[in-house]
């Protein structure tokens, strides 16, 4: 899906746990997530902490969207 | 480690006054079996049914399939850590009741359980249409948590299989096969000229209805480790998963793993089958990296020349498969990977979620998206209420006449990735 | 029994009309065989007869595709063909594209079997191998003698309604379609045999050649985040409670579009996951952990982003064919563009 969105002309960032798949299928802006069943949360923490974790990942996704890339780029910490 | 597996071939299963094997028939006293299974605080009711190959019967939603076995000699008992105490199994003597299986079914836990048809086109796809099945239908109490429901049904299946397996203890097997794997250095000394071959056994470990247990340990919590192949034959690995039932290993498959059997066939003659490395398919990327690093490290440490890697499941586990393959090949060890495909209903789509040129030797167990129409059956064991929402089903899968249009993904064992079946795919 | 009827399509060169200077001739039809049809006729004569040959200039065809297609289609119809053969075109690019275009159209509209022949690097091969059986030929007409028997063999199979074998056996360019069949030996045995061959350095044939994934160039970065309208998309199957559109738990045939204008966050009362490929407990309790609506609202209120788009798009990535998810995204991307969405955050489980 990620490629088709980009191909349509909309910049897209892919937040996903399995970065290698994202790299194989061809996403250009990739932000690693926590885990497959809860990519943007971590049930080990309470609700507020989870939201803080989520905020951090989304912030990183916004950085990715506003950063020029030449090819596939993973936005690690 | 040396294990003699005695096979007792059963030709019929019937309800009877006593629970016993007489001639080639297994008789079951329903109440005795229900007693053996016992009660569970999470289960409302349990019933038992019997069905035979060729019967116009559909079993669904299927959770697990288990072969009744018993330890006759040697340490430990079947299903160590689950039913019997934790003790290393895989040596001595074990008896198995062949051609029969305990199948657990009943109200659905998740979206994911499977279908077994005992006759018709669907039967060709499920290896468990060829066994006489003792189906334990367990329905949960209301408001039971999914985890508790799954664990309760899982345990019920093992208890039933264990109870029936006990009957084989004093029977004389129709056939005996002895499997032996020596400790690494002794094996290498005994077969200095044979290539050393290992098996990397990937286990599905992704959470509810996606788990596997090794000696009672949830395999998502292991780091890859070594096992003698005969340990599996005594139920050291059991299934807690049936998501997209086509390519999940029911306990029966762990007990009768085809790759282990077929490697043993050449063991001591053309190869030295050194053993099994069990690994997992976890949901965290760090786990995937760590586990594949470790499998590769172990294959190198054991001095292997060749490795077969089998997958369980699809999607993100394709990455575990490719990581294992790539990292093992990078150690200059020849690999063959065993998987299945999700190429779309028309077969024209990309089959795997991940790929690498190093994966140049692939065995495919078929395209799980292929659609099949299962004709109506005279009898349903379990219930078809969930067919539209199980993996492989879609809105309208269950038709008014009772026939079902589904992807073969929904059929238990159809594209099993240990090569348990003959289905495969080729490109046109 | 009367013989089956074959119509043959060739270009101006093989039709003996002329070379490049005649490439603009319009389609014309001749009764019986012309040029390479002679050899083909010889090879299929027991079963079928070439009743007509259509000749068209390569330039004309490619510059007037619609018109050419229409005229040629009428010609094929008139001769009541049971099979349509185009080419072989070898490595002639425009001829290959013409053969593929017309063969695909005939197959689709007249519902009769079609066959062509091309060198694998002919652009027409890449464009049409998925829809047309294209016999793999050499790169020039010098290879005609090898191409004709292979085309004839497949033509006869098609006319008799026999099952078509694999690309290697029937010498056509792979159509990229995976089909199931039952092997004689089980998969575990085949794995062991394959490993034995690989260990011995002998030849082995993989049952699934690794694909090449295509790539798309990255778009330029967003310039102004604080005025950007951002949409959320997920393959994690988040849906309103009860899964109103019944998106499948695996191998989804559809996607959902849902309004979140009134939501500040998602919870167990409002949303859940339809995805069958992961443990659903977390997403069912708090769908924000898959689709971060709560955080996006905060960002919107803080003015960090312009606006969160009022709809999110969702499907289950589990076991869903790449072609399907591609089609979903093509479709909803048009809507996103029309709605003035500047960027997308796509989350996957």
């Amino acid at each position: 899906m990620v490629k088709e969105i980009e191909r349509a002309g909309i910049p897209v960032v892919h937040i996903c746990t399995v970065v290698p798949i994202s790299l194989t299928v061809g996403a250009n802006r990739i932000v690693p997530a926590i885990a497959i069943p809860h990519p943007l949360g971590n049930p080990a923490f309470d609700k507020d902490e989870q939201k803080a974790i989520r905020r951090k990942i989304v912030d990183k996704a916004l950085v990715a969207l506003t950063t020029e890339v030449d090819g596939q780029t993973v936005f690690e910490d | 480690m040396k294990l003699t597996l005695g096979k007792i071939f059963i030709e019929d299963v019937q309800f009877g006054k006593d629970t016993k094997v007489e001639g080639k028939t297994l008789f079951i006293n329903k109440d005795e079996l229900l007693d053996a299974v016992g009660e569970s605080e999470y289960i409302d009711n349990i019933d038992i049914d019997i069905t035979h190959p060729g019967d116009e019967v559909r079993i669904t939603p299927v959770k697990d399939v288990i072969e009744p076995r018993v330890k006759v000699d040697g340490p430990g008992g079947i299903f160590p850590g689950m039913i019997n105490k934790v003790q290393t199994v895989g040596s001595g003597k074990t008896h198995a009741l062949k051609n029969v299986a305990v199948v657990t079914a009943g109200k659905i836990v998740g979206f994911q359980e499977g279908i077994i048809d005992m006759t018709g086109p669907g039967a060709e796809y499920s290896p468990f249409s060829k066994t006489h099945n003792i189906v334990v239908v367990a329905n949960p109490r209301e408001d039971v948590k999914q985890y508790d429901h799954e664990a309760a049904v899982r345990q019920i299946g093992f208890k039933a299989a264990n109870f029936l397996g006990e009957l084989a203890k004093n029977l004389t097997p129709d056939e005996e096969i002895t499997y032996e794997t020596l400790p690494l250095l002794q094996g290498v000394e005994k077969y200095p000229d044979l290539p050393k071959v290992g098996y990397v056994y990937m286990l599905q470990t992704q959470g509810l209805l996606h788990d596997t247990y090794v000696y009672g340990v949830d395999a998502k919590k292991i780091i890859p480790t070594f096992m003698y192949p005969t340990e599996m034959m005594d139920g050291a690995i059991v299934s807690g998963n049936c998501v997209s039932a086509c390519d999940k290993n029911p306990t029966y498959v762990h007990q009768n793993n085809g790759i282990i059997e077929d490697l043993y066939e050449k063991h001591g003659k053309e190869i030295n089958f050194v053993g099994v490395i069990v690994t997992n398919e976890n949901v965290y990327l760090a786990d995937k990296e760590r586990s594949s690093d470790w499998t590769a490290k172990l294959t190198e440490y054991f001095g292997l020349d060749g490795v077969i890697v089998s997958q369980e499941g699809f999607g993100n586990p394709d990455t575990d498969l490719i990581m294992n393959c790539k990292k093992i090949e990078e150690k200059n060890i020849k690999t063959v990977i065993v998987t299945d495909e999700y190429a779309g209903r028309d077969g024209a789509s990309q089959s795997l979620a991940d790929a690498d040129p190093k994966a140049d030797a692939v065995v495919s167990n078929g395209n799980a998206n292929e659609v099949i129409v299962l004709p109506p059956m005279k009898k349903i064991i379990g219930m078809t209420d969930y067919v539209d929402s199980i993996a492989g089903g879609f809105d309208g899968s269950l038709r008014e006449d009772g026939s079902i249009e589904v992807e073969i993904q929904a059929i238990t064992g159809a594209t099993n990735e240990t090569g348990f079946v003959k289905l495969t795919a080729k490109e046109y | 029994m009367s013989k089956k009827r074959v119509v043959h399509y060739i270009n101006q060169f093989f039709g003996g009309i002329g070379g490049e200077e005649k490439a603009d001739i319009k389609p014309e039809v001749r009764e019986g065989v012309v040029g390479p049809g002679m050899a083909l006729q010889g090879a299929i004569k027991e079963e079928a007869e070439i009743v007509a040959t259509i000749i068209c200039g390569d330039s004309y065809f490619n510059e007037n595709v619609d018109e050419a297609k229409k005229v040629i289609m009428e010609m094929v119809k008139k001769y009541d063909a049971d099979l349509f053969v185009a080419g072989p075109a070898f490595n002639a690019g425009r001829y290959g594209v013409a053969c593929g275009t017309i063969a695909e159209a005939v197959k689709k509209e007249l519902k009769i079997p079609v066959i062509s022949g091309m060198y694998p690097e002919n652009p027409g091969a890449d464009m049409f191998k998925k829809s047309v059986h294209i016999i793999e030929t050499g790169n020039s007409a010098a290879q005609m003698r090898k191409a004709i028997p292979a085309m004839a063999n497949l033509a006869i199979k098609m006319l008799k309604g026999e099952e078509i074998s694999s690309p290697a056996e029937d010498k056509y360019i792979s159509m990229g379609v995976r089909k199931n069949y039952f092997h004689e030996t089980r998969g575990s045995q085949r794995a062991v045999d394959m490993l034995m061959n690989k260990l011995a350095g002998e030849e082995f044939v993989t049952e699934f050649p690794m694909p090449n994934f295509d790539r798309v160039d990255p778009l330029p970065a967003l310039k102004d985040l604080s005025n950007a309208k951002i949409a959320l998309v997920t393959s994690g199957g988040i849906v309103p409670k009860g899964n109103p559109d019944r998106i499948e738990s695996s191998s989804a045939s559809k996607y959902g579009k849902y309004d979140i204008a009134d939501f500040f966050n998602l919870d167990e009362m409002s949303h859940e996951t339809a995805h069958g490929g992961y443990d659903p407990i977390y997403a069912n309790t708090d769908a924000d952990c898959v689709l971060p609506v709560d955080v996006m609202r905060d960002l919107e209120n803080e003015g960090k982003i312009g606006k969160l788009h009022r709809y999110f798009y969702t499907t289950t990535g589990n076991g869903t064919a790449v072609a399907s998810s591609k089609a979903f995204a093509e479709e909803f991307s048009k809507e996103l563009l029309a709605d003035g969405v500047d960027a997308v955050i796509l989350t996957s489980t």
Side-chain angles (χ1 to χ4, degrees), chain B residues 142-167:
Chain B
E142 271 182 39
D143 300 329
V144 166
K145 289 209 177 79
Q146 287 175 306
Y147 287 111
D148 297 329
H149 177 191
E150 189 278 326
V153 177
R154 181 180 355 118
Q155 207 62 14
I156 283 167
F158 300 145
K159 282 186 191 163
N162 193 56
F163 172 74
L164 296 173
E166 292 281 341
L167 300 174

PDB file of all heavy atoms in Angstrom, chain B residues 142-167:
ATOM      1  N   GLU B 142     -19.582 -18.500  29.658  1.00  0.00           N
ATOM      2  CA  GLU B 142     -19.662 -17.127  29.170  1.00  0.00           C
ATOM      3  C   GLU B 142     -18.627 -16.255  29.877  1.00  0.00           C
ATOM      4  O   GLU B 142     -18.240 -16.544  31.006  1.00  0.00           O
ATOM      5  CB  GLU B 142     -21.066 -16.586  29.413  1.00  0.00           C
ATOM      6  CG  GLU B 142     -21.957 -16.901  28.222  1.00  0.00           C
ATOM      7  CD  GLU B 142     -23.341 -16.363  28.383  1.00  0.00           C
ATOM      8  OE1 GLU B 142     -23.467 -15.240  28.906  1.00  0.00           O
ATOM      9  OE2 GLU B 142     -24.274 -17.072  28.002  1.00  0.00           O
ATOM     10  N   ASP B 143     -18.213 -15.215  29.212  1.00  0.00           N
ATOM     11  CA  ASP B 143     -17.293 -14.231  29.788  1.00  0.00           C
ATOM     12  C   ASP B 143     -15.917 -14.784  30.121  1.00  0.00           C
ATOM     13  O   ASP B 143     -15.198 -14.200  30.930  1.00  0.00           O
ATOM     14  CB  ASP B 143     -17.878 -13.590  31.052  1.00  0.00           C
ATOM     15  CG  ASP B 143     -19.182 -12.886  30.742  1.00  0.00           C
ATOM     16  OD1 ASP B 143     -19.294 -12.400  29.590  1.00  0.00           O
ATOM     17  OD2 ASP B 143     -20.060 -12.851  31.605  1.00  0.00           O
ATOM     18  N   VAL B 144     -15.586 -15.935  29.558  1.00  0.00           N
ATOM     19  CA  VAL B 144     -14.240 -16.461  29.796  1.00  0.00           C
ATOM     20  C   VAL B 144     -13.264 -15.685  28.922  1.00  0.00           C
ATOM     21  O   VAL B 144     -13.563 -15.360  27.775  1.00  0.00           O
ATOM     22  CB  VAL B 144     -14.193 -17.960  29.446  1.00  0.00           C
ATOM     23  CG1 VAL B 144     -12.771 -18.464  29.345  1.00  0.00           C
ATOM     24  CG2 VAL B 144     -14.947 -18.752  30.506  1.00  0.00           C
ATOM     25  N   LYS B 145     -12.100 -15.356  29.496  1.00  0.00           N
ATOM     26  CA  LYS B 145     -11.096 -14.638  28.709  1.00  0.00           C
ATOM     27  C   LYS B 145     -10.542 -15.557  27.628  1.00  0.00           C
ATOM     28  O   LYS B 145     -10.411 -16.758  27.835  1.00  0.00           O
ATOM     29  CB  LYS B 145      -9.959 -14.196  29.620  1.00  0.00           C
ATOM     30  CG  LYS B 145     -10.340 -13.086  30.567  1.00  0.00           C
ATOM     31  CD  LYS B 145      -9.080 -12.246  30.874  1.00  0.00           C
ATOM     32  CE  LYS B 145      -9.417 -11.077  31.770  1.00  0.00           C
ATOM     33  NZ  LYS B 145      -9.552 -11.512  33.184  1.00  0.00           N
ATOM     34  N   GLN B 146     -10.181 -14.947  26.494  1.00  0.00           N
ATOM     35  CA  GLN B 146      -9.708 -15.766  25.375  1.00  0.00           C
ATOM     36  C   GLN B 146      -8.501 -16.623  25.742  1.00  0.00           C
ATOM     37  O   GLN B 146      -8.392 -17.762  25.348  1.00  0.00           O
ATOM     38  CB  GLN B 146      -9.353 -14.865  24.198  1.00  0.00           C
ATOM     39  CG  GLN B 146     -10.582 -14.285  23.505  1.00  0.00           C
ATOM     40  CD  GLN B 146     -10.185 -13.309  22.423  1.00  0.00           C
ATOM     41  OE1 GLN B 146      -9.447 -12.372  22.668  1.00  0.00           O
ATOM     42  NE2 GLN B 146     -10.659 -13.533  21.218  1.00  0.00           N
ATOM     43  N   TYR B 147      -7.571 -16.050  26.507  1.00  0.00           N
ATOM     44  CA  TYR B 147      -6.368 -16.797  26.884  1.00  0.00           C
ATOM     45  C   TYR B 147      -6.741 -18.046  27.684  1.00  0.00           C
ATOM     46  O   TYR B 147      -6.201 -19.127  27.474  1.00  0.00           O
ATOM     47  CB  TYR B 147      -5.429 -15.938  27.752  1.00  0.00           C
ATOM     48  CG  TYR B 147      -4.700 -14.862  26.994  1.00  0.00           C
ATOM     49  CD1 TYR B 147      -4.993 -13.521  27.193  1.00  0.00           C
ATOM     50  CD2 TYR B 147      -3.686 -15.194  26.096  1.00  0.00           C
ATOM     51  CE1 TYR B 147      -4.317 -12.523  26.511  1.00  0.00           C
ATOM     52  CE2 TYR B 147      -3.004 -14.205  25.403  1.00  0.00           C
ATOM     53  CZ  TYR B 147      -3.321 -12.865  25.615  1.00  0.00           C
ATOM     54  OH  TYR B 147      -2.643 -11.900  24.934  1.00  0.00           O
ATOM     55  N   ASP B 148      -7.666 -17.872  28.650  1.00  0.00           N
ATOM     56  CA  ASP B 148      -8.056 -18.990  29.510  1.00  0.00           C
ATOM     57  C   ASP B 148      -8.802 -20.044  28.700  1.00  0.00           C
ATOM     58  O   ASP B 148      -8.610 -21.238  28.892  1.00  0.00           O
ATOM     59  CB  ASP B 148      -8.946 -18.490  30.655  1.00  0.00           C
ATOM     60  CG  ASP B 148      -8.203 -17.514  31.555  1.00  0.00           C
ATOM     61  OD1 ASP B 148      -6.968 -17.659  31.682  1.00  0.00           O
ATOM     62  OD2 ASP B 148      -8.841 -16.607  32.120  1.00  0.00           O
ATOM     63  N   HIS B 149      -9.628 -19.581  27.801  1.00  0.00           N
ATOM     64  CA  HIS B 149     -10.382 -20.483  26.940  1.00  0.00           C
ATOM     65  C   HIS B 149      -9.425 -21.339  26.115  1.00  0.00           C
ATOM     66  O   HIS B 149      -9.515 -22.556  26.086  1.00  0.00           O
ATOM     67  CB  HIS B 149     -11.299 -19.622  26.045  1.00  0.00           C
ATOM     68  CG  HIS B 149     -12.096 -20.391  25.045  1.00  0.00           C
ATOM     69  ND1 HIS B 149     -12.785 -19.787  24.029  1.00  0.00           N
ATOM     70  CD2 HIS B 149     -12.320 -21.713  24.893  1.00  0.00           C
ATOM     71  CE1 HIS B 149     -13.399 -20.694  23.299  1.00  0.00           C
ATOM     72  NE2 HIS B 149     -13.132 -21.880  23.794  1.00  0.00           N
ATOM     73  N   GLU B 150      -8.467 -20.671  25.484  1.00  0.00           N
ATOM     74  CA  GLU B 150      -7.511 -21.388  24.632  1.00  0.00           C
ATOM     75  C   GLU B 150      -6.730 -22.402  25.454  1.00  0.00           C
ATOM     76  O   GLU B 150      -6.585 -23.569  25.066  1.00  0.00           O
ATOM     77  CB  GLU B 150      -6.569 -20.384  23.945  1.00  0.00           C
ATOM     78  CG  GLU B 150      -5.669 -20.971  22.869  1.00  0.00           C
ATOM     79  CD  GLU B 150      -4.416 -21.642  23.415  1.00  0.00           C
ATOM     80  OE1 GLU B 150      -3.866 -21.184  24.431  1.00  0.00           O
ATOM     81  OE2 GLU B 150      -3.997 -22.656  22.841  1.00  0.00           O
ATOM     82  N   ALA B 151      -6.219 -21.979  26.611  1.00  0.00           N
ATOM     83  CA  ALA B 151      -5.395 -22.866  27.438  1.00  0.00           C
ATOM     84  C   ALA B 151      -6.211 -24.064  27.919  1.00  0.00           C
ATOM     85  O   ALA B 151      -5.714 -25.196  27.946  1.00  0.00           O
ATOM     86  CB  ALA B 151      -4.834 -22.092  28.630  1.00  0.00           C
ATOM     87  N   ALA B 152      -7.467 -23.827  28.259  1.00  0.00           N
ATOM     88  CA  ALA B 152      -8.305 -24.912  28.765  1.00  0.00           C
ATOM     89  C   ALA B 152      -8.537 -25.957  27.677  1.00  0.00           C
ATOM     90  O   ALA B 152      -8.382 -27.157  27.906  1.00  0.00           O
ATOM     91  CB  ALA B 152      -9.628 -24.347  29.267  1.00  0.00           C
ATOM     92  N   VAL B 153      -8.873 -25.502  26.481  1.00  0.00           N
ATOM     93  CA  VAL B 153      -9.147 -26.447  25.396  1.00  0.00           C
ATOM     94  C   VAL B 153      -7.868 -27.196  25.015  1.00  0.00           C
ATOM     95  O   VAL B 153      -7.883 -28.398  24.752  1.00  0.00           O
ATOM     96  CB  VAL B 153      -9.735 -25.721  24.165  1.00  0.00           C
ATOM     97  CG1 VAL B 153      -9.942 -26.704  23.028  1.00  0.00           C
ATOM     98  CG2 VAL B 153     -11.049 -25.039  24.521  1.00  0.00           C
ATOM     99  N   ARG B 154      -6.767 -26.480  25.016  1.00  0.00           N
ATOM    100  CA  ARG B 154      -5.485 -27.100  24.686  1.00  0.00           C
ATOM    101  C   ARG B 154      -5.206 -28.262  25.640  1.00  0.00           C
ATOM    102  O   ARG B 154      -4.879 -29.370  25.250  1.00  0.00           O
ATOM    103  CB  ARG B 154      -4.384 -26.035  24.782  1.00  0.00           C
ATOM    104  CG  ARG B 154      -3.049 -26.569  24.440  1.00  0.00           C
ATOM    105  CD  ARG B 154      -1.895 -25.548  24.515  1.00  0.00           C
ATOM    106  NE  ARG B 154      -2.206 -24.186  24.792  1.00  0.00           N
ATOM    107  CZ  ARG B 154      -1.762 -23.546  25.893  1.00  0.00           C
ATOM    108  NH1 ARG B 154      -1.028 -24.170  26.793  1.00  0.00           N
ATOM    109  NH2 ARG B 154      -2.061 -22.285  26.055  1.00  0.00           N
ATOM    110  N   GLN B 155      -5.371 -27.984  26.929  1.00  0.00           N
ATOM    111  CA  GLN B 155      -5.070 -28.982  27.946  1.00  0.00           C
ATOM    112  C   GLN B 155      -6.024 -30.185  27.844  1.00  0.00           C
ATOM    113  O   GLN B 155      -5.614 -31.324  28.007  1.00  0.00           O
ATOM    114  CB  GLN B 155      -5.159 -28.309  29.322  1.00  0.00           C
ATOM    115  CG  GLN B 155      -4.306 -28.947  30.391  1.00  0.00           C
ATOM    116  CD  GLN B 155      -2.810 -28.903  30.097  1.00  0.00           C
ATOM    117  OE1 GLN B 155      -2.354 -28.163  29.208  1.00  0.00           O
ATOM    118  NE2 GLN B 155      -2.034 -29.711  30.792  1.00  0.00           N
ATOM    119  N   ILE B 156      -7.269 -29.910  27.530  1.00  0.00           N
ATOM    120  CA  ILE B 156      -8.261 -30.986  27.368  1.00  0.00           C
ATOM    121  C   ILE B 156      -7.825 -31.956  26.268  1.00  0.00           C
ATOM    122  O   ILE B 156      -7.904 -33.172  26.419  1.00  0.00           O
ATOM    123  CB  ILE B 156      -9.647 -30.370  27.051  1.00  0.00           C
ATOM    124  CG1 ILE B 156     -10.246 -29.808  28.343  1.00  0.00           C
ATOM    125  CG2 ILE B 156     -10.574 -31.379  26.401  1.00  0.00           C
ATOM    126  CD1 ILE B 156     -11.446 -28.897  28.126  1.00  0.00           C
ATOM    127  N   GLY B 157      -7.328 -31.409  25.182  1.00  0.00           N
ATOM    128  CA  GLY B 157      -6.859 -32.249  24.076  1.00  0.00           C
ATOM    129  C   GLY B 157      -5.711 -33.155  24.500  1.00  0.00           C
ATOM    130  O   GLY B 157      -5.700 -34.354  24.189  1.00  0.00           O
ATOM    131  N   PHE B 158      -4.747 -32.588  25.224  1.00  0.00           N
ATOM    132  CA  PHE B 158      -3.600 -33.408  25.649  1.00  0.00           C
ATOM    133  C   PHE B 158      -4.041 -34.503  26.615  1.00  0.00           C
ATOM    134  O   PHE B 158      -3.564 -35.628  26.556  1.00  0.00           O
ATOM    135  CB  PHE B 158      -2.520 -32.543  26.315  1.00  0.00           C
ATOM    136  CG  PHE B 158      -1.971 -31.483  25.402  1.00  0.00           C
ATOM    137  CD1 PHE B 158      -1.588 -30.241  25.898  1.00  0.00           C
ATOM    138  CD2 PHE B 158      -1.838 -31.713  24.046  1.00  0.00           C
ATOM    139  CE1 PHE B 158      -1.103 -29.253  25.059  1.00  0.00           C
ATOM    140  CE2 PHE B 158      -1.347 -30.731  23.195  1.00  0.00           C
ATOM    141  CZ  PHE B 158      -0.976 -29.496  23.713  1.00  0.00           C
ATOM    142  N   LYS B 159      -4.959 -34.146  27.510  1.00  0.00           N
ATOM    143  CA  LYS B 159      -5.435 -35.143  28.479  1.00  0.00           C
ATOM    144  C   LYS B 159      -6.123 -36.300  27.759  1.00  0.00           C
ATOM    145  O   LYS B 159      -5.908 -37.462  28.099  1.00  0.00           O
ATOM    146  CB  LYS B 159      -6.413 -34.496  29.468  1.00  0.00           C
ATOM    147  CG  LYS B 159      -5.732 -33.687  30.558  1.00  0.00           C
ATOM    148  CD  LYS B 159      -6.779 -33.211  31.554  1.00  0.00           C
ATOM    149  CE  LYS B 159      -6.210 -32.174  32.510  1.00  0.00           C
ATOM    150  NZ  LYS B 159      -7.283 -31.433  33.178  1.00  0.00           N
ATOM    151  N   ALA B 160      -6.950 -35.948  26.787  1.00  0.00           N
ATOM    152  CA  ALA B 160      -7.655 -37.001  26.051  1.00  0.00           C
ATOM    153  C   ALA B 160      -6.668 -37.898  25.319  1.00  0.00           C
ATOM    154  O   ALA B 160      -6.771 -39.130  25.352  1.00  0.00           O
ATOM    155  CB  ALA B 160      -8.649 -36.375  25.071  1.00  0.00           C
ATOM    156  N   ALA B 161      -5.680 -37.277  24.660  1.00  0.00           N
ATOM    157  CA  ALA B 161      -4.699 -38.055  23.902  1.00  0.00           C
ATOM    158  C   ALA B 161      -3.853 -38.907  24.838  1.00  0.00           C
ATOM    159  O   ALA B 161      -3.521 -40.059  24.538  1.00  0.00           O
ATOM    160  CB  ALA B 161      -3.812 -37.116  23.083  1.00  0.00           C
ATOM    161  N   ASN B 162      -3.525 -38.348  25.974  1.00  0.00           N
ATOM    162  CA  ASN B 162      -2.707 -39.072  26.954  1.00  0.00           C
ATOM    163  C   ASN B 162      -3.470 -40.290  27.474  1.00  0.00           C
ATOM    164  O   ASN B 162      -2.935 -41.397  27.573  1.00  0.00           O
ATOM    165  CB  ASN B 162      -2.370 -38.121  28.102  1.00  0.00           C
ATOM    166  CG  ASN B 162      -1.275 -38.660  28.994  1.00  0.00           C
ATOM    167  OD1 ASN B 162      -0.190 -38.969  28.499  1.00  0.00           O
ATOM    168  ND2 ASN B 162      -1.546 -38.807  30.274  1.00  0.00           N
ATOM    169  N   PHE B 163      -4.748 -40.079  27.774  1.00  0.00           N
ATOM    170  CA  PHE B 163      -5.595 -41.166  28.274  1.00  0.00           C
ATOM    171  C   PHE B 163      -5.680 -42.301  27.246  1.00  0.00           C
ATOM    172  O   PHE B 163      -5.498 -43.471  27.568  1.00  0.00           O
ATOM    173  CB  PHE B 163      -6.981 -40.606  28.581  1.00  0.00           C
ATOM    174  CG  PHE B 163      -8.014 -41.637  28.930  1.00  0.00           C
ATOM    175  CD1 PHE B 163      -7.985 -42.273  30.181  1.00  0.00           C
ATOM    176  CD2 PHE B 163      -9.008 -41.982  28.030  1.00  0.00           C
ATOM    177  CE1 PHE B 163      -8.946 -43.235  30.497  1.00  0.00           C
ATOM    178  CE2 PHE B 163      -9.964 -42.942  28.351  1.00  0.00           C
ATOM    179  CZ  PHE B 163      -9.929 -43.571  29.584  1.00  0.00           C
ATOM    180  N   LEU B 164      -5.924 -41.940  25.989  1.00  0.00           N
ATOM    181  CA  LEU B 164      -6.051 -42.974  24.955  1.00  0.00           C
ATOM    182  C   LEU B 164      -4.697 -43.622  24.669  1.00  0.00           C
ATOM    183  O   LEU B 164      -4.608 -44.820  24.420  1.00  0.00           O
ATOM    184  CB  LEU B 164      -6.647 -42.374  23.674  1.00  0.00           C
ATOM    185  CG  LEU B 164      -8.081 -41.847  23.831  1.00  0.00           C
ATOM    186  CD1 LEU B 164      -8.521 -41.112  22.570  1.00  0.00           C
ATOM    187  CD2 LEU B 164      -9.049 -43.003  24.147  1.00  0.00           C
ATOM    188  N   GLY B 165      -3.641 -42.818  24.734  1.00  0.00           N
ATOM    189  CA  GLY B 165      -2.293 -43.342  24.514  1.00  0.00           C
ATOM    190  C   GLY B 165      -1.946 -44.439  25.509  1.00  0.00           C
ATOM    191  O   GLY B 165      -1.340 -45.463  25.149  1.00  0.00           O
ATOM    192  N   GLU B 166      -2.377 -44.252  26.744  1.00  0.00           N
ATOM    193  CA  GLU B 166      -2.092 -45.231  27.797  1.00  0.00           C
ATOM    194  C   GLU B 166      -2.534 -46.646  27.392  1.00  0.00           C
ATOM    195  O   GLU B 166      -1.964 -47.644  27.835  1.00  0.00           O
ATOM    196  CB  GLU B 166      -2.812 -44.844  29.098  1.00  0.00           C
ATOM    197  CG  GLU B 166      -2.277 -43.565  29.768  1.00  0.00           C
ATOM    198  CD  GLU B 166      -0.988 -43.790  30.549  1.00  0.00           C
ATOM    199  OE1 GLU B 166      -0.691 -44.959  30.881  1.00  0.00           O
ATOM    200  OE2 GLU B 166      -0.265 -42.793  30.790  1.00  0.00           O
ATOM    201  N   LEU B 167      -3.590 -46.713  26.579  1.00  0.00           N
ATOM    202  CA  LEU B 167      -4.106 -48.020  26.168  1.00  0.00           C
ATOM    203  C   LEU B 167      -3.069 -48.816  25.374  1.00  0.00           C
ATOM    204  O   LEU B 167      -3.143 -50.031  25.276  1.00  0.00           O
ATOM    205  CB  LEU B 167      -5.356 -47.849  25.282  1.00  0.00           C
ATOM    206  CG  LEU B 167      -6.556 -47.129  25.893  1.00  0.00           C
ATOM    207  CD1 LEU B 167      -7.617 -46.929  24.840  1.00  0.00           C
ATOM    208  CD2 LEU B 167      -7.113 -47.940  27.059  1.00  0.00           C
TER     209      LEU B 167
END
